[in-house]
Amino acid sequence: MKTILFEENQLVITLSSLESVLGLKHKIEIPYNDIKEVSIEDIQQYLWKVYGTHMGPSKYGFFKKDGLNYFVATSTNKGNLVLTLNNHKYDKIILEMDHVADVLQQIQNKLSTHIK
């Protein structure tokens, strides 16, 4: 299970042990100023795997498409949290989350109070 920590100047996403093995990544730090948009989306597009795991709808790791860099950690194509970023290693981060609507609201609230 993923966890999201709201630190003073950044969002920290920590992946579970299995997700870390499948995606070859344990933690992603994202400064709030780098977050351009946050949404919930169904992901139907094909992404080119750079490293990680891709089996059916399950995708964990670093992917590319049309010159954009993605970090993906999901086992479903439906209802994923999508962070669109500026000035970051990844252009988009796509995550499967429990209570995704609540997480989306928490991030939006943090962004509205952090970015003035």
Side-chain angles (χ1 to χ4, degrees):
M1 181 168 90
K2 292 167 216 56
T3 58
I4 294 183
L5 298 174
F6 296 92
E7 295 186 348
E8 185 177 338
N9 295 313
Q10 67 182 358
L11 191 68
V12 178
I13 301 166
T14 305
L15 303 177
S16 71
S17 301
L18 178 60
E19 291 171 328
S20 293
V21 170
L22 295 173
L24 304 174
K25 189 94 172 157
H26 175 67
K27 180 169 51 172
I28 301 171
E29 298 173 344
I30 308 164
Y32 294 121
N33 292 333
D34 288 358
I35 301 174
K36 179 180 175 182
E37 182 182 351
V38 60
S39 60
I40 298 172
E41 298 177 25
D42 294 343
I43 307 302
Q44 302 299 329
Q45 60 193 353
Y46 181 80
L47 302 171
W48 295 98
K49 179 176 70 168
V50 176
Y51 66 78
T53 305
H54 180 202
M55 297 174 288
S58 296
K59 296 174 188 71
Y60 295 92
F62 179 33
F63 294 78
K64 283 187 149 293
K65 181 174 180 155
D66 299 330
L68 298 178
N69 296 322
Y70 293 75
F71 182 82
V72 184
T74 183
S75 62
T76 181
N77 290 329
K78 304 275 185 206
N80 289 289
L81 181 70
V82 178
L83 299 166
T84 304
L85 309 175
N86 287 320
N87 306 316
H88 197 271
K89 175 180 179 177
Y90 304 111
D91 298 298
K92 287 195 176 204
I93 297 176
I94 301 171
L95 305 168
E96 176 183 2
M97 300 289 307
D98 291 335
H99 311 288
V100 68
D102 294 337
V103 174
L104 171 76
Q105 187 63 53
Q106 290 174 344
I107 294 171
Q108 288 174 330
N109 289 344
K110 186 64 176 181
L111 291 176
S112 69
T113 59
H114 183 77
I115 299 173
K116 297 176 182 171

